[in-house]
Amino acid sequence: MPSLLSNLKSAREWVTPTLKSTAFLSRGVLTPEEFIAAGDELVFKCPTWTWESGDPSKRKKHLPADKQYLMTRNVPCTARVSSLENVVADNVAMGGDGDDDGDWLVSRVLTAEEQRKREEDALEDEFDILDGEGEVEKKVAQMSIAQSSNAKDDAVAAAAEEEDDEYADMADFEDNDVMEDEAAAISTPSIPSSNNNNNNTTIENENILKVRSYDISITYDKYYQTPRVWLMGYADDNSNRPLTGDEMMEDVISDYAHRTVTVENHPHVSGPHASIHPCQHGAVMKTIVKNLTRDDDEGGGSVSNGNGPSVEMYLFIFLKFVSSMIPTISYDFTMDVSASTKK
């Protein structure tokens, strides 16, 4: 099935004309020349990424022979997405203009501060009551003050008790046989255990953090006129065994697994890969670029030079956006890109 889909998409891409004029700001897409410029900047700023030429028989004529796609190898993935219990999806419409179909959810992990604030707000809503005049009374605030006062009292009492213990009569700790006990302990030979080596080896193995690794590549999709990310995972048991499609989906946010992220054949590398479908990439990138430009106009831009983000910054912004779907795969995009995804 992946082979049939790949053949159909290859044919569709072949008949699609190559984009010639820039539409980076207006549509969030790239020409092949702009993709090369953005890739050169990524390779320059992040040496873990390299250009690859791929199989000569599979090269695309609209790209240079030595710059067919970008690749970074042995990227660590230390945990499964299911272990991130606080992953939430921002309900932000990221699809086409005025069309709720195909909207894009941007998932992220709550910070400790955000989680604490959310819990406080929920508790406050739960305990809202009316006072004698019918006004809403924030009982939580009173509880917090009382709890804070009690905590301070407990802390003072604990400190006083600790101080008393510190100056306790040392005679209580005297032991007439202490020297004899120490001498006996020194003179008693240790009994070797045949299981010591095995136990030590087991402990050492348990202390080794086992991580999956991924090879990540970025190709240029001529039909959608955007970059496309491909993932090939390897097991964490030192066997270098390629992960199955279902195993790779364990490292994808569930909102996207088997829907936005599917298993398909790579256009340059043999074997099925997990691929992030690019159908919404242009719309999402247009929104992010628009907000970056607005932030820059207001003096708060972080990736631009005063005229909005340049096309060379495209892949840094793009990889930041993609990281919301695969948050446990720690690939390098170096630059701190911060922008709202709200329209």
Side-chain angles (χ1 to χ4, degrees):
M1 186 64 177
S3 178
L4 177 60
L5 284 174
S6 297
N7 291 336
L8 290 174
K9 290 176 180 177
S10 295
R12 180 182 65 181
E13 184 174 306
W14 183 78
V15 301
T16 301
T18 304
L19 182 65
K20 297 295 184 181
S21 58
T22 183
F24 166 55
L25 296 177
S26 61
R27 293 170 45 213
V29 298
L30 296 177
T31 66
E33 292 76 18
E34 288 173 332
F35 174 71
I36 296 301
D40 285 344
E41 187 70 9
L42 178 66
V43 170
F44 175 72
K45 293 286 181 65
C46 307
T48 55
W49 290 92
T50 59
W51 280 111
E52 300 289 332
S53 58
D55 185 342
S57 64
K58 298 180 179 180
R59 289 175 183 166
K60 311 298 181 181
K61 294 181 180 180
H62 52 273
L63 295 171
D66 60 341
K67 295 183 178 181
Q68 290 287 299
Y69 62 97
L70 292 153
M71 173 74 80
T72 182
R73 294 179 172 84
N74 300 319
V75 178
C77 178
T78 58
R80 308 290 72 77
V81 163
S82 60
S83 67
L84 304 179
E85 297 179 355
N86 296 320
V87 169
V88 297
D90 291 338
N91 295 319
V92 180
M94 300 298 294
D97 295 337
D99 186 2
D100 291 337
D101 294 336
D103 283 349
W104 196 278
L105 296 178
V106 178
S107 300
R108 62 190 181 86
V109 181
L110 285 177
T111 64
E113 180 64 21
E114 288 173 327
Q115 184 179 359
R116 183 188 63 78
K117 182 66 166 58
R118 173 171 292 189
E119 291 173 351
E120 288 182 356
D121 291 344
L123 187 62
E124 187 174 336
D125 291 340
E126 182 179 353
F127 283 92
D128 282 354
I129 60 175
L130 297 179
D131 60 16
E133 299 179 357
E135 299 292 335
V136 175
E137 178 180 329
K138 301 295 184 182
K139 186 175 180 181
V140 173
Q142 297 176 356
M143 292 172 60
S144 299
I145 294 173
Q147 290 173 352
S148 176
S149 176
N150 292 338
K152 290 180 180 179
D153 293 342
D154 292 343
V156 171
E161 183 177 352
E162 183 178 352
E163 184 176 358
D164 290 342
D165 292 342
E166 182 178 355
Y167 296 101
D169 188 356
M170 295 302 296
D172 295 339
F173 301 99
E174 288 183 358
D175 185 351
N176 292 332
D177 297 328
V178 66
M179 296 304 293
E180 296 178 6
D181 292 342
E182 288 182 0
I186 293 173
S187 61
T188 301
S190 59
I191 302 175
S193 173
S194 60
N195 295 327
N196 279 351
N197 291 335
N198 293 335
N199 291 339
N200 290 338
T201 302
T202 301
I203 293 173
E204 289 176 2
N205 290 335
E206 290 176 351
N207 289 336
I208 296 175
L209 179 62
K210 296 182 178 180
V211 299
R212 289 178 174 180
S213 64
Y214 275 85
D215 291 344
I216 305 176
S217 55
I218 306 173
T219 61
Y220 177 77
D221 191 293
K222 184 183 172 187
Y223 181 79
Y224 289 103
Q225 301 164 346
T226 65
R228 182 170 188 170
V229 171
W230 302 81
L231 309 168
M232 171 56 79
Y234 299 93
D236 57 4
D237 56 4
N238 296 322
S239 66
N240 204 36
R241 174 184 63 82
L243 298 177
T244 65
D246 288 338
E247 287 175 326
M248 287 190 283
M249 292 303 160
E250 295 172 352
D251 299 319
V252 178
I253 292 291
S254 59
D255 289 334
Y256 307 108
H258 298 292
R259 297 190 300 185
T260 303
V261 182
T262 55
V263 177
E264 300 182 34
N265 285 329
H266 195 287
H268 296 281
V269 183
S270 300
H273 288 58
S275 175
I276 301 175
H277 198 272
C279 61
Q280 292 294 326
H281 286 4
V284 174
M285 288 299 294
K286 175 186 174 181
T287 300
I288 296 175
V289 168
K290 180 184 70 175
N291 290 332
L292 281 171
T293 303
R294 182 183 60 201
D295 292 344
D296 190 69
D297 291 340
E298 296 172 356
S302 62
V303 297
S304 59
N305 56 9
N307 300 312
S310 65
V311 74
E312 288 79 11
M313 296 297 102
Y314 189 102
L315 286 177
F316 296 98
I317 303 169
F318 175 76
L319 289 171
K320 176 69 172 180
F321 146 61
V322 167
S323 68
S324 67
M325 288 175 272
I326 46 175
T328 60
I329 302 178
S330 306
Y331 57 83
D332 182 22
F333 52 91
T334 300
M335 295 187 66
D336 183 15
V337 179
S338 177
S340 171
T341 55
K342 295 183 178 179
K343 291 183 177 179

